[in-house]
Amino acid sequence: MRPTRRRTRLLLAASAAAAALAVPLGVHAARGADSGTEVAPPKPEPAGSECRTTVEGSRVVAYCHNPYPSVDLVRLHTECDRWWDVDADGEVVAVEPGRTVRLEDRCWKDVATAWVSHRPAPL
């Protein structure tokens, strides 16, 4: 056998062995295991209304404006100062995109705290 054929066979065998070893490494890298970066979850679209709440004596008024393209469901919660005065949770009101709603409630005497809760409307 001539040295050229043996060298050719050795080169072919070496290249086949290198290819066999390189394929699993390429597949492993293609899956992102060695890239060191994880796929970040998509960021949620901004949503929710901006609400201003004012308390005057025994009355509570809240204005909620929704600048985002999704519907926001808002509810006014009122906690009265006196122990015998009933605390209240208002009805859920849908705030459409680009709209402003007025929420109001009252206590018999004084208001301790008032706040507005938000949740996205079901699709």
Side-chain angles (χ1 to χ4, degrees):
M1 193 158 44
R2 292 177 28 200
T4 322
R5 284 189 180 176
R6 188 165 56 184
R7 206 176 313 145
T8 304
R9 286 184 190 166
L10 284 174
L11 284 173
L12 286 174
S15 62
L21 291 174
V23 168
L25 291 175
V27 170
H28 189 66
R31 289 186 182 154
D34 289 342
S35 63
T37 59
E38 294 182 18
V39 178
K43 291 185 179 180
E45 185 175 300
S49 299
E50 298 171 6
C51 297
R52 290 183 324 237
T53 305
T54 56
V55 177
E56 290 183 17
S58 63
R59 297 193 178 272
V60 178
V61 177
Y63 289 96
C64 295
H65 176 72
N66 184 6
Y68 300 109
S70 60
V71 177
D72 187 30
L73 301 176
V74 295
R75 173 183 270 184
L76 178 63
H77 305 275
T78 306
E79 188 174 306
C80 299
D81 194 30
R82 309 284 189 224
W83 65 268
W84 45 264
D85 208 348
V86 178
D87 298 339
D89 295 325
E91 292 184 25
V92 175
V93 177
V95 185
E96 300 289 328
R99 299 286 184 177
T100 302
V101 297
R102 177 186 166 129
L103 308 169
E104 55 186 322
D105 197 12
R106 66 181 298 273
C107 294
W108 283 101
K109 281 283 190 179
D110 298 318
V111 175
T113 59
W115 68 95
V116 178
S117 64
H118 303 261
R119 66 183 165 119
L123 297 177

